Amino acid sequence: LKCTEKYICCLSFQSKSDIISTVEFNHTGELLATGDKGGRVVIFQREQESKNQVHRRGEYNVYSTFQSHEPEFDYLKSLEIEEKINKIRWLPQQNAAYFLLSTNDKTVKLWKVSERDKRPEGYNLKDEEGRLRDPATITTLRVPVLRPMDLMVEATPRRVFANAHTYHINSISVNSDYETYMSADDLRINLWNFEITNQSFNIVDIKPANMEELTEVITAAEFHPHHCNTFVYSSSKGTIRLCDMRASALCDRHTKFFEEPEDPSNRSFFSEIISSISDVKFSHSGRYIMTRDYLTVKVWDLNMENRPIETYQVHDYLRSKLCSLYENDCIFDKFECVWNGSDSVIMTGSYNNFFRMFDRNTKRDVTLEASRENSKPRAILKPRKVCVGGKRRKDEISVDSLDFSKKILHTAWHPSENIIAVAATNNLYIFQDKVN
Amino acid sequence: MFARGLKRKCVGHEEDVEGALAGLKTVSSYSLQRQSLLDMSLVKLQLCHMLVEPNLCRSVLIANTVRQIQEEMTQDGTWRTVAPQAAGRAPLDRLVSTEILCRAAWEQEGAHPAPGLGDGHTQGPVSDLCPVTSVQAPRHPQSSVWEMGGPRENRGSFHKSLDQIFETLETKNPSCMEELFSDVDSPYYDLDTVLTGMMGGARPGPCEGLEGLAPATPGPSSSCKSDLGELDHVVEILVET
């Protein structure tokens, strides 16, 4: 799988009004879920490949849409709680139904998505419209039979995990035991059992006794893909802590601490802000973690804590613009990062609807653009280039022309194929590699 | 406290306008921009308080930035920075010369001899960069007010909120963030205490009955009802304690 493969657009979907806030493939890649700022979840399903059209790979169509979260009001603080979906995580499929976790700032919900293609008909006590019959008119016994109906996909909330977070939830992660999951907010991480909604274990708490002493927050957290006792969490100071839940009930003391020493020659007032980690992801193998800070993506080996093994520059040309980006708040944008199925390529977003892929083996990288103009069906994505100075070539775009309102914060990669989903504001694009 | 004696009105007294501008360019671009960064950060923190629910990560990062600026300004009394030529940009433009602020601190010290500076009036080699107390001969007599040789206490006319922040700094030693965070504090504390009591309780959650619900997405009323239920319970706890 190389990042220099050509990608073509196979879906472009525009949400009714809202900014897409999370994108996630399920474990087989058959389903893709998106959450948006309006609390809605839209699930896409990949078409089964038909024998007739074997040259056309399965495309994604809308499968289910439902309202996951509604705006709420916190009476104690007199503040509104946004319905925006911060994260969606799928559970592995164990029966015919699909299960996913979706969360806003305060509440995590477990949703069951299932198909119904039969309905019972012929009730004894009810008529066809469901009204009760007069018992006096019933003279025979009838057993309802299941008859086929048009396929209906329904989403039902099976669990609601509420009231466990004072601060805003930024991450959820399903454990490899499939019985527990964690939710992380700015200062605490809680461990839940899927069956129990009225209790959670607090496993990390970095809230200082005196809030005025607060200088660091939790920015992301994730369970190890194979070891159900291990998880990592990242901080606003650019550090990653790996914790082992077997060590103690409260994992305030980390097992490993990953931090790159600061380069003193590069220090500025913005050094800390740009070192804040916005996303942390284990590789599928579980041997590496990837972190995203404002200007770079870094790959760390779990066995080496003192520095990353790889650093990739996402948009280093922004380094001289940090003050302006601080003024317009862009410096606080939280970009996510993803691994491909084989952990050989990593992808992350940037501004101007650009997103970047880095091939860890060949060390090649590419910049692509997700926009309506460039994403006609089956059109091949053209690599883009930002001109950092000197003479601008024909197809290049200069740094000063970049549109900072068009940011790609959320992307997803199919677990085994070269299919990627990119969220650009309220548009979702799915690209797959070109098959000759 | 502001050791450099930053008197903006002194600019008006400058006879040699060209010399003053050159003085501004070479000496104060960095401090002016640092000042504007500080002002901007304070405004951002105030905005945080007006937002519906402040983003804690952003607030903490901004507060840390303010702390850094404050620390540097405190140590600054003995620094004499020669800002590199800002390539012809108007030095009083607040945020145009972002380049200077984004440069590393050691570069600010004039380790790069700026081309065309005439006297080549830089601070000297990088090795001399630790806080320097000796006063070097000023290039222009008037520019001495911008340098550390000048009166150390001259605050000039400051942004009001900055004054308050620094006063806070002088009198109490925890961070100047105390006031800024104080509004944010209390609701979190209260809710926190309450939640700690609630979290481990055997009280049935509001959603025990969900399993038996008909397959329909719950309307907004159900979540509001559970909130009200929580509210009653919480008020009980607060009143008891």
Side-chain angles (χ1 to χ4, degrees), chain A residues 174-192:
Chain A
V174 179
N175 205 350
S176 51
D177 63 9
Y178 304 151
E179 289 180 1
T180 58
Y181 76 93
M182 70 158 135
S183 55
D185 67 31
D186 295 311
L187 298 178
R188 299 193 175 99
I189 303 181
N190 294 330
L191 181 72
W192 301 85

Side-chain angles (χ1 to χ4, degrees), chain A residues 270 273 322-333, chain B residues 36-51 54-63 65-66 69 94-95 159 161 177 180-181 184:
Chain A
F270 306 108
I273 300 179
L322 291 179
C323 199
S324 305
L325 294 165
Y326 179 74
E327 187 188 24
N328 64 15
D329 265 12
C330 280
I331 208 174
F332 301 109
D333 286 335
Chain B
S36 76
L37 178 63
L38 179 61
D39 293 347
M40 187 191 357
S41 303
L42 293 173
V43 168
K44 280 182 184 296
L45 281 172
Q46 293 303 317
L47 276 175
C48 282
H49 287 262
M50 290 187 250
L51 281 177
N55 178 331
L56 190 61
C57 182
R58 177 178 172 276
S59 304
V60 166
L61 289 172
I62 296 172
T65 305
V66 172
I69 297 175
R94 271 173 68 126
L95 291 159
H159 210 271
S161 58
M177 295 305 106
L180 293 170
F181 270 141
V184 183

Side-chain angles (χ1 to χ4, degrees), chain B residues 1-6 30-31 34 69-81 109 123 129-136 144-154 166:
Chain B
M1 160 115 214
F2 218 67
R4 204 180 318 277
L6 205 63
Y30 176 81
S31 60
R34 182 178 60 185
I69 297 175
Q70 168 250 311
E71 274 167 24
E72 188 182 281
M73 282 174 157
T74 310
Q75 295 167 11
D76 230 357
T78 53
W79 271 23
R80 182 169 151 273
T81 59
E109 293 294 321
Q123 183 149 354
L129 280 183
C130 42
V132 171
T133 47
S134 62
V135 179
Q136 299 190 8
S144 64
V145 295
W146 300 95
E147 294 161 12
M148 354 145 279
R152 291 178 63 111
E153 300 171 339
N154 195 338
F166 278 85

